[in-house]
Amino acid sequence: MIKSIEYSKPVAVAGEYDVIVAGAGPAGICAAVAAARDGAKVALVERYGVVGGNLTTGYVGPVLGMVGKGTMRDEIVKILEIPDNDMIGETGKAHDFEKAKLTLSEFVNHPNIDVFLQSSVYDVVKDGETVKGVILATNEGRMAILAPVTIDCTGDAVVATLAGAHIEKGREDGLMQPVTLEFTIDNVDESCAVTCIGDVDNVELNGERFLDFCKRCADEGKIPAHLAAVRLHPTVREGQRQVNTTQANKVDMTKVSDIFPADLELRRQIALLMDFFHSTLPGYENCRCIGSGATTGVRETRRVMGDYILTAEDMVEGKKFPDVAVHEAEFIVDIHNPDGAGQAEDKIQYVIPYDIPYRCFLPKGVEGMMVAGRCISGTHRAHASYRVMSICMAMGEAVGTAAALCAQKGVTPRALPVNELQNTLTSKGIELWKK
């Protein structure tokens, strides 16, 4: 039987804002800056000690996925100093994570934004079904911040869950995509070293498909079976590779008890992979691990069910919506196997560039808040496409713009006329439909 205690203390209000953005990852930084540039007073809350999320502490690269022209995603790619001819898609390069920690901090250093670092959302402030703000756990103790609009960009849908939104996790059997700890290696010999961008790559090593070679090595016991998909991305620096290979299955990162064992296992796998590289891969004999994520890379946890639930079928047909807020989103339905190595499905599901409607950002049964990033309203299979960083950035910009409009007009996100949001986005040069 689980014990419980009654706990009640007054909480001081540290500030009142037009918009609160919880989570300073790719979606959150774009949401905060978009709202601030449109005149809103913004609180940006981040549980780690630096902004950027997977762009910094998560060590995730390259920035995958594509969206329509003119979004803040293009601005971020320039900030990250990724050359134009490498601008993401399937052949992009991972950025410099150390540089990103400064440049993305400069990006959010706006006079209309107060940044709360090392601050976690502890609870929400509600009036009936309407979110009025959040309570933070900080180094100073608990504090409340209030706003008429709160945006959940936490990835794990922390705010939406606390607010009582309808949540789903994983596929029908409850399993979610595996977690990974990415790391960077240098001292790679470019004259003979292979590069492999992922499961769709047919690059060869000594006349054999590289991924087939890795699978054979796994079968021979040279690496664990669930590490058979060795992904070695190039970076903006010669002689480096970004490694996206470690994998822990059957982990739920919304459960505190799962987090440390997963992190420990993944760090042990880094050591195993370094031994494999040194002994087996041409050009990697002298490589060194020079950095890894400060937090586990999470592909999938909670999804917030909203006024529309995006499906993979929508993506396959390239569906367009009258309330489009993100246009021409594109990435494969990339389901890393929740119960083994490689992909969960035998055949990669490609998509036609699709729209994400504004309704996907509005949690059912909750007012005064929106969601953006991988926790938006969609199915397990749809999530596997829209979860990547380029698409999350465009979502963040759309909801940040919407939040600023709500503050100006004194309306809730659900009451905001979508055409006004669309007019504002297109006035910024963002493509929402083909001319």
Side-chain angles (χ1 to χ4, degrees), residues 58-73:
Y59 248 66
V60 176
V63 180
L64 296 174
M66 291 174 279
V67 290
K69 297 177 182 177
T71 71
M72 206 171 272
R73 174 264 188 195

Side-chain angles (χ1 to χ4, degrees), residues 70-91:
T71 71
M72 206 171 272
R73 174 264 188 195
D74 298 339
E75 183 178 349
I76 295 291
V77 165
K78 290 180 181 176
I79 287 172
L80 297 177
E81 298 181 344
I82 300 170
D84 285 345
N85 62 342
D86 291 313
M87 283 180 69
I88 322 307
E90 298 301 331
T91 58

Side-chain angles (χ1 to χ4, degrees), residues 223-302:
I223 50 174
H226 59 291
L227 303 186
V230 178
R231 307 172 190 92
L232 301 165
H233 290 271
T235 81
V236 292
R237 297 192 181 279
E238 193 83 1
Q240 284 188 357
R241 294 289 185 275
Q242 185 67 16
V243 187
N244 177 1
T245 302
T246 67
Q247 179 171 313
N249 292 88
K250 300 181 180 179
V251 172
D252 183 349
M253 293 297 284
T254 67
K255 294 182 178 179
V256 174
S257 59
D258 280 11
I259 297 173
F260 176 71
D263 183 81
L264 179 59
E265 169 60 21
L266 295 171
R267 295 191 186 281
R268 287 170 172 166
Q269 289 177 15
I270 291 176
L272 287 174
L273 286 165
M274 291 302 296
D275 288 342
F276 172 70
F277 297 160
H278 291 152
S279 64
T280 311
L281 294 190
Y284 288 81
E285 295 89 348
N286 299 308
C287 69
R288 304 174 303 164
C289 176
I290 61 170
S292 63
T295 181
T296 309
V298 182
R299 293 183 176 89
E300 180 180 18
T301 52
R302 303 182 182 107

Side-chain angles (χ1 to χ4, degrees), residues 178-194:
V179 295
T180 287
L181 193 61
E182 291 201 20
F183 61 102
T184 307
I185 57 177
D186 73 354
N187 211 30
V188 173
D189 184 351
E190 296 287 8
S191 69
C192 58
V194 69

Side-chain angles (χ1 to χ4, degrees), residues 209 362 395:
R209 184 172 182 260
L362 304 175
M395 293 186 208

